[in-house]
Amino acid sequence: MGRKNVYGTTLLLMFVCSIASGLSIGKSPTAVIGTLCFFRFWLGFGIGGDYPLSATIMAEYANKKTRGAFVAAVFAMQGFGILAGGLVAMAVSALFRHVYHAPAYSVDALGSTPPEADYVWRIILMVGSLPAVLTYYYRCKMPETPRYTALVAKNGEKACRDMSKVLDIEMVKSEKLEENQTDGKADNTFGLFSKQFMRRHGLHLLGTTTTWFLLDIAYYSQNLFQKDIFTSVGWLPPAKSMSALDELFTISKSQFLIALCGTVPGYWVTVALIDIIGRFTIQLIGFLFMTVFMFGLAIPYHHWTLKSNRIGFMVMYALTFFFANFGPNTTTFVVPAEIFPARLRATCHGLSAAAGKAGAIVGAFGFLYAAQSQDKDKTDAGYPPGIGMRYSLMVLGGISLVGFFCTFMVPESKGKSLEEMSRENEGEEVDDDDEESRGIEMV
């Protein structure tokens, strides 16, 4: 189908499912949750396609000197999305709690969630779809990437025409590309998981999948359970002391501050440095400091629970997010789009991202159970005793350390062309300093 066609389809799927999620209906609360889960599943399906395509399309358009910064910038824009989402959640919850007053849960468990609160989450979910759909027109007008057209679709003339539109200059098909398409000199027709693929890229695929898997265990454990972590150290009041709308506003504000101070700066420091110090170094630095700060939070955990040390805890906690994003959370998105052959590039990126989401599932459910208090009288209702917050943070630190060592299976792609990294021209003499000679000439 090509990058362009699927790129537009995934966007429409995300838009429709976001709207449908907000309109989830049913005769009972269980039915509403079931409908919501159905549409969120297909939303995830669309996002799963959008992830590898966004990285692959940008990588195939960018030049080798600034490719890392461009691909990382695509990923970094979600930082502004996180901030916007936090602002929307705060604004909607503040408006509703101002209009519909409700007592704390400890005072009136049923009355702490006013009936009108049912509109809050629906509005938040549907508002998130609006910025995305505004990009649909531009995705439709965007030409197919020339690398896909030339190397996968084997249509060099169309690749030249598409590049002419993008660069606004006249381009002609080169003899080099003609030879590549007709003489079969380089045998690059091997399939995914074939012996030749495994010999060339098997270790690389193992590296990208394991590092993304391990990262998301640690990253989503922290991200999804910020409320529990903040409450455990006393930075947020207990949930029972607030109404549902108060809790939503308070949690949104806390997550907004963490994103503003740690997440977003981490993204853009990566954009600034990725083509200077390289993907490999940034990923090692990120995993290493995630390990250091996780253990720094876990080992003296009682120290951080004291009221006088709560600000220090939040600084340390924000730094774990900074180094996750100035580190593996960005590089695991960038590297798979650079090191695999053109016809398998998006597929391998998708496999790597899927491994990451599997890690997110492990982290979400694992941390939910593991972080429960060791005292069964202090656990959340319906959950067995766990190992506690302190030891859970230690486990996350250990997982980050394993990710550090798995990084050594991933090659450095800084300053190298996509064809050089994927070895698509293996067996040919190629001038690495002249990417145009690989298929397109300017006149």
Side-chain angles (χ1 to χ4, degrees):
M1 292 180 64
R3 324 277 199 229
K4 175 185 174 180
N5 292 333
V6 179
Y7 206 36
T9 302
T10 58
L11 181 62
L12 283 180
L13 182 61
M14 289 187 291
F15 171 72
V16 171
C17 290
S18 292
I19 295 295
S21 295
L23 299 175
S24 297
I25 57 175
K27 294 183 178 180
S28 66
T30 302
V32 172
I33 293 298
T35 307
L36 176 63
C37 289
F38 174 80
F39 288 118
R40 298 307 278 182
F41 170 83
W42 288 107
L43 174 64
F45 195 83
I47 294 172
D50 205 69
Y51 247 63
L53 286 171
S54 295
T56 299
I57 289 171
M58 180 53 72
E60 292 184 342
Y61 269 118
N63 67 75
K64 64 184 180 181
K65 293 182 180 179
T66 58
R67 185 180 61 240
F70 275 92
V71 179
V74 169
F75 190 67
M77 291 304 295
Q78 74 174 348
F80 294 120
I82 293 170
L83 295 179
L87 289 173
V88 169
M90 284 190 286
V92 175
S93 58
L95 176 63
F96 273 75
R97 73 174 185 168
H98 177 73
V99 177
Y100 305 104
H101 300 284
Y105 182 86
S106 58
V107 176
D108 182 356
L110 186 61
S112 64
T113 305
E116 295 79 8
D118 185 56
Y119 295 107
V120 174
W121 65 270
R122 297 177 184 272
I123 292 171
I124 293 172
L125 291 182
M126 289 191 286
V127 168
S129 69
L130 299 180
V133 78
L134 295 177
T135 68
Y136 182 71
Y137 172 79
Y138 299 100
R139 290 196 182 193
C140 290
K141 298 294 290 183
M142 178 185 69
E144 183 60 84
T145 66
R147 277 187 167 94
Y148 177 87
T149 304
L151 299 176
V152 181
K154 304 296 183 183
N155 191 337
E157 292 182 0
K158 187 176 186 303
C160 291
R161 291 197 302 270
D162 290 343
M163 282 300 291
S164 297
K165 293 179 184 178
V166 174
L167 300 177
D168 196 25
I169 57 177
E170 184 181 357
M171 309 189 77
V172 297
K173 186 177 177 184
S174 72
E175 294 180 1
K176 184 73 171 178
L177 180 57
E178 184 72 33
E179 293 172 2
N180 288 349
Q181 291 180 334
T182 60
D183 64 9
K185 187 174 182 179
D187 181 15
N188 285 314
T189 59
F190 55 85
L192 185 66
F193 302 129
S194 64
K195 289 183 179 179
Q196 193 170 353
F197 174 86
M198 297 305 292
R199 185 172 67 252
R200 290 188 181 188
H201 304 292
L203 186 64
H204 301 161
L205 184 60
L206 180 62
T208 58
T209 53
T210 54
T211 52
W212 208 332
F213 175 78
L214 294 167
L215 162 74
D216 277 7
I217 293 177
Y219 188 74
Y220 279 87
S221 294
Q222 292 183 88
N223 224 348
L224 294 176
F225 296 100
Q226 288 185 41
K227 174 182 73 72
D228 302 280
I229 295 172
F230 295 158
T231 302
S232 67
V233 297
W235 201 63
L236 292 183
K240 64 182 180 181
S241 67
M242 299 180 284
S243 69
L245 294 174
D246 289 336
E247 185 178 15
L248 174 59
F249 179 83
T250 304
I251 294 171
S252 299
K253 181 177 67 175
S254 302
Q255 293 178 333
F256 177 87
L257 291 174
I258 289 293
L260 182 65
C261 299
T263 303
V264 175
Y267 282 135
W268 291 99
V269 171
T270 302
V271 173
L273 297 180
I274 192 168
D275 287 311
I276 298 174
I277 65 177
R279 294 82 162 135
F280 181 78
T281 302
I282 288 177
Q283 187 158 309
L284 286 180
I285 291 172
F287 270 128
L288 177 62
F289 280 95
M290 284 177 68
T291 303
V292 169
F293 287 114
M294 290 285 193
F295 281 111
L297 292 172
I299 294 173
Y301 183 73
H302 177 70
H303 169 80
W304 299 118
T305 61
L306 301 177
K307 187 174 182 179
S308 59
N309 299 322
R310 290 174 185 172
I311 294 177
F313 176 89
M314 295 309 300
V315 171
M316 292 276 286
Y317 190 69
L319 284 172
T320 65
F321 280 94
F322 175 84
F323 281 104
N325 292 295
F326 175 54
N329 195 39
T330 303
T331 55
T332 53
F333 178 83
V334 173
V335 174
E338 300 180 308
I339 63 177
F340 299 107
R343 71 189 180 286
L344 301 174
R345 187 169 292 135
T347 301
C348 291
H349 195 291
L351 289 172
S352 302
K357 300 318 151 198
I361 295 172
V362 172
F365 284 96
F367 193 85
L368 179 62
Y369 284 90
Q372 295 295 322
S373 173
Q374 294 176 315
D375 184 348
K376 64 179 181 180
D377 295 328
K378 296 181 180 180
T379 61
D380 295 335
Y383 292 95
I387 60 175
M389 188 66 68
R390 179 172 183 255
Y391 291 107
S392 296
L393 290 172
M394 286 186 179
V395 170
L396 296 183
I399 290 171
S400 299
L401 184 61
V402 175
F404 174 89
F405 289 108
C406 288
T407 298
F408 288 94
M409 292 187 287
V410 180
E412 176 59 78
S413 52
K414 181 186 74 170
K416 297 180 181 179
S417 70
L418 297 181
E419 288 72 31
E420 185 179 357
M421 288 304 304
S422 65
R423 297 166 64 185
E424 292 201 78
N425 287 326
E426 189 172 82
E428 303 176 22
E429 291 183 5
V430 179
D431 181 2
D432 292 336
D433 295 326
D434 185 5
E435 285 196 272
E436 284 75 25
S437 69
R438 299 176 188 279
I440 296 174
E441 292 179 344
M442 289 184 277
V443 297

